[in-house]
């Protein structure tokens, strides 16, 4: 099965994927999932999580749902910075073919495990809901914020957008903090949507 997706979304999620291959190889995965009328791309290193969506178009909308997990360091060089990419998974050989406007390459990268969260949607919704009490003091790792900011800007390029800032929804009890891009003018039709969360620090 194959999934078409904008290259910018894969690179955006790849910025968040784990850099440590020895201890957490599964967290180097970028998950590309076609569900219904959307393609979802996400990754996590367990401290931050980035997820973005884009609507499917044309014949792809008629195809059955599919999930392809790619090890980002393995496919990074094969994926252009911009444009549409087609990922095709061979579940018998654990290969993924990456087809772009300039050609196709096969990469042995498919991993059947992780990244997983027990209930990612619940975690995101809890973070989006924010604190039920007044938040007195919390700390944010600037490297994590910078990583998510770069991922937001990279993904937004697929929709021709330029975020101008980041909106934070604080939480208490060291629960995940929800982040969302802010635009100077809210786009009428968001072709790329994003969810981001990060873990705060106790001060």
């Amino acid at each position: 099965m194959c999934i078409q997706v904008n290259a910018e979304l894969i690179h955006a999620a790849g910025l968040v994927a784990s850099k440590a291959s020895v201890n957490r190889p599964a967290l180097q995965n970028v998950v590309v999932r076609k569900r219904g009328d959307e393609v979802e791309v996400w990754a996590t290193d367990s401290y931050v999580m980035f997820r973005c969506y884009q609507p499917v178009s044309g014949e792809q909308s008629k195809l059955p749902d599919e999930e392809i997990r790619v090890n980002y360091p393995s496919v990074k060089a094969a994926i252009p910075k911009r444009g549409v990419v087609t990922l095709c998974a061979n579940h018998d050989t654990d290969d993924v073919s990456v087809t772009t406007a300039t050609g196709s390459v096969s990469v042995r990268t498919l991993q059947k495990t992780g990244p997983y969260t027990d209930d990612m949607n619940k975690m995101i919704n809890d973070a989006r809901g924010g604190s039920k009490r007044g938040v007195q003091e919390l700390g944010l790792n600037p490297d994590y914020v910078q990583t998510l900011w770069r991922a937001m800007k990279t993904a937004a390029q697929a929709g021709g957008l330029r975020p101008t800032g980041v909106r934070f929804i604080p939480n208490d009890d060291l629960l995940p903090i929800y982040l969302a891009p802010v635009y100077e003018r809210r786009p009428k039709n968001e072709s790329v949507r994003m969810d981001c969360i990060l873990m705060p620090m106790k001060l």
Side-chain angles (χ1 to χ4, degrees):
M1 297 296 293
C2 299
I3 303 176
Q4 283 187 340
V5 63
N6 280 70
E8 296 96 320
L9 304 191
I10 297 175
H11 288 306
L15 290 169
V16 176
S18 175
K19 308 298 184 288
S21 60
V22 177
N23 298 326
R24 300 184 296 175
L27 293 180
Q28 289 191 309
N29 285 355
V30 168
V31 177
V32 181
R33 178 185 300 156
K34 188 261 180 189
R35 287 201 298 189
D37 58 358
E38 285 188 317
V39 172
E40 170 188 333
V41 182
W42 70 280
T44 182
D45 68 357
S46 80
Y47 297 104
V48 296
M49 190 281 298
F50 176 81
R51 180 172 72 173
C52 55
Y53 311 81
Q54 69 177 137
V56 299
S57 58
E59 291 298 313
Q60 188 178 12
S61 61
K62 302 173 185 175
L63 295 175
D65 290 355
E66 169 75 330
E67 179 178 293
I68 298 175
R69 303 173 189 205
V70 292
N71 179 278
Y72 183 67
S74 299
V75 300
K76 181 179 179 181
I79 296 177
K81 290 186 177 179
R82 292 187 173 90
V84 176
V85 174
T86 302
L87 301 176
C88 297
N90 184 327
H91 296 288
D92 294 326
T93 63
D94 288 354
D95 289 348
V96 171
S97 66
V98 180
T99 304
T100 66
T102 58
S104 181
V105 62
S106 182
V107 182
R108 188 171 184 80
T109 181
L110 188 68
Q111 295 189 16
K112 294 181 172 64
T113 58
Y116 267 126
T117 308
D118 289 340
D119 189 343
M120 183 169 62
N121 286 328
K122 182 181 184 309
M123 185 167 59
I124 289 172
N125 289 335
D126 287 348
R128 190 186 283 128
S131 174
K132 304 298 183 284
R133 303 190 298 272
V135 178
Q136 300 300 318
E137 194 173 8
L138 57 84
L140 300 178
N141 185 313
D143 291 337
Y144 297 162
V145 177
Q146 182 68 16
T147 296
L148 288 173
W149 171 241
R150 289 173 55 212
M152 287 180 196
K153 290 199 300 182
T154 302
Q157 291 175 0
L161 302 172
R162 287 175 173 249
T164 58
V166 179
R167 177 170 58 95
F168 292 83
I169 299 180
N171 237 318
D172 50 18
D173 298 328
L174 295 182
L175 295 172
I177 295 172
Y178 184 82
L179 288 78
V182 174
Y183 303 100
E184 188 172 331
R185 293 180 181 169
R186 184 164 182 82
K188 292 180 181 177
N189 181 19
E190 288 185 88
S191 57
V192 176
R193 297 184 294 111
M194 302 176 218
D195 290 315
C196 306
I197 58 176
L198 63 80
M199 297 302 299
M201 301 176 292
K202 194 168 186 178
L203 294 178

